[in-house]
Amino acid sequence: MDRTNNRIAQAYGYAVCFITVIVMLIAIKQVVDAAIDLSDPIRAEGGGYGRMGRPITSFELYKVEARRQTNPRTDGRPSTVTIPADGAPLVRDRVTADSLSDAELRRMYDAERADAISNARFHSMRSLIGNLLLLVLAAVLFGVHWRWLKQRDAVQGPA
């Protein structure tokens, strides 16, 4: 019976060590990904595209794409607004990106780019910190169980 308990304890110890090694390998990969995302946050999440689907890697590309599309606020369709006084809908004119000046496009570009960078940095930092903590915890679990297994082997001698 004592030999069976030894085998179960040994299997448990080696299983924990094996699992923690796998967790550490996955966490290392995630830490590397987060570090790369932090080094280039524009391309991190959206691949260089903002929320409107326009490229935010350069203003010139953004401007060309914006000129092709209609204003994202209306998606090219007339929008309706209910007037509270009489309840009659009012149809607004269609606003296109062609009618926007370069200064307005630059403000939109800067805002979208800043938002993308901020979001990417936040997500990368969260991933980096979380995976570093996971890596440390897995390393501690591995060290504790590996030391415990070696002490058991030293006390009991070779099987």
Side-chain angles (χ1 to χ4, degrees):
M1 186 68 172
D2 189 40
R3 190 139 174 98
T4 303
N5 286 339
N6 281 340
R7 293 285 181 201
I8 291 173
Q10 189 176 27
Y12 161 77
Y14 283 116
V16 169
C17 289
F18 179 70
I19 290 169
T20 56
V21 167
I22 291 171
V23 168
M24 285 189 285
L25 291 174
I26 293 169
I28 288 170
K29 191 250 188 241
Q30 294 297 324
V31 165
V32 170
D33 286 349
I36 291 170
D37 286 350
L38 276 174
S39 72
D40 191 4
I42 286 293
R43 290 178 178 82
E45 289 181 10
Y49 290 89
R51 292 182 188 222
M52 297 298 164
R54 296 179 186 152
I56 55 174
T57 53
S58 79
F59 175 66
E60 294 305 317
L61 287 173
Y62 183 88
K63 186 168 66 170
V64 167
E65 190 63 31
R67 298 272 188 236
R68 285 189 203 154
Q69 298 174 349
T70 58
N71 192 335
R73 290 173 284 193
T74 61
D75 290 333
R77 294 172 284 168
S79 60
T80 59
V81 177
T82 304
I83 301 172
D86 60 3
L90 171 69
V91 178
R92 286 194 203 163
D93 292 331
R94 183 184 297 192
V95 178
T96 64
D98 286 339
S99 66
L100 296 173
S101 69
D102 279 0
E104 290 171 322
L105 281 173
R106 175 59 87 169
R107 276 196 316 274
M108 290 170 57
Y109 167 76
D110 288 341
E112 200 166 340
R113 183 177 169 91
D115 184 52
I117 289 171
S118 175
N119 285 337
R121 282 193 175 140
F122 173 77
H123 291 293
S124 297
M125 283 302 293
R126 183 175 63 185
S127 177
L128 186 65
I129 291 169
N131 282 296
L132 283 172
L133 288 173
L134 183 63
L135 190 59
V136 168
L137 180 63
V140 167
L141 280 172
F142 177 85
V144 167
H145 283 83
W146 189 256
R147 192 172 330 136
W148 175 69
L149 284 168
K150 292 302 162 196
Q151 287 174 351
R152 284 179 53 86
D153 288 346
V155 169
Q156 294 178 359

